[in-house]
Amino acid sequence: MSQLPLDWAERVWALVALIPEGRVSSYGKLAQLLGFPRHARHVGRALSETPPHIDIPWHRVLNGRGECSLAFQSEGWYVQMALLRAEGILPDDQGRVNLTKYGWQP
DNA sequence: TTAGTGACCATAA
DNA sequence: ATTATGGCCACTA
């Protein structure tokens, strides 16, 4: 299961669950909020290991440039794009989300 | 033990 | 605007 300390992953999931519909955040931002400013990679890792029964808005987490960090046009990429569009978050011409506009702060 | 990798990021040209 | 570079740290081989 979790290759990362379980408490860490659970903190990530709990924080992601707080992101309201129509807003987004980034890996680095979440790591910062959790008190580990340079651990962005571990936020991504925790999300990649989210068990199916944990229901959180993982699609609201993008990289620091407002882009989807999943492989371009991969299965997950399409899913994330669709979920974002479904809640009114529309990427710009470059396929990116404006973080200053949609970015979430607790 | 070392080297490579990754749903990352800040900074510098 | 874009690339390049160095840093980050847990995991794996």
Side-chain angles (χ1 to χ4, degrees), chain A residues 44-87:
Chain A
R45 176 172 269 280
L47 288 181
S48 73
E49 296 173 356
T50 306
H53 62 88
I54 303 275
D55 187 23
I56 56 173
W58 61 272
H59 57 281
R60 293 176 192 149
V61 184
L62 307 171
N63 66 25
R65 290 178 283 180
E67 304 169 312
C68 171
S69 276
L70 297 178
F72 182 62
Q73 291 187 335
S74 65
E75 184 178 357
W77 186 92
Y78 283 114
V79 171
Q80 184 163 23
M81 290 297 106
L83 288 172
L84 288 175
R85 270 188 281 111
E87 55 186 69

Side-chain angles (χ1 to χ4, degrees), chain A residues 2-102:
Chain A
S2 179
Q3 310 285 23
L4 232 46
L6 187 56
D7 59 333
W8 164 261
E10 287 178 338
R11 282 172 190 261
V12 172
W13 298 331
L15 185 55
V16 171
L18 298 180
I19 305 175
E21 183 177 326
R23 304 316 261 337
V24 298
S25 191
S26 70
Y27 302 100
K29 191 61 173 182
L30 295 179
Q32 180 184 14
L33 292 174
L34 288 170
F36 298 88
R38 293 171 179 71
H39 296 227
R41 295 198 114 100
H42 302 297
V43 172
R45 176 172 269 280
L47 288 181
S48 73
E49 296 173 356
T50 306
H53 62 88
I54 303 275
D55 187 23
I56 56 173
W58 61 272
H59 57 281
R60 293 176 192 149
V61 184
L62 307 171
N63 66 25
R65 290 178 283 180
E67 304 169 312
C68 171
S69 276
L70 297 178
F72 182 62
Q73 291 187 335
S74 65
E75 184 178 357
W77 186 92
Y78 283 114
V79 171
Q80 184 163 23
M81 290 297 106
L83 288 172
L84 288 175
R85 270 188 281 111
E87 55 186 69
I89 299 176
L90 303 177
D92 61 17
D93 305 12
Q94 314 293 317
R96 297 184 316 197
V97 172
N98 187 333
L99 288 183
T100 61
K101 181 178 177 183
Y102 294 104

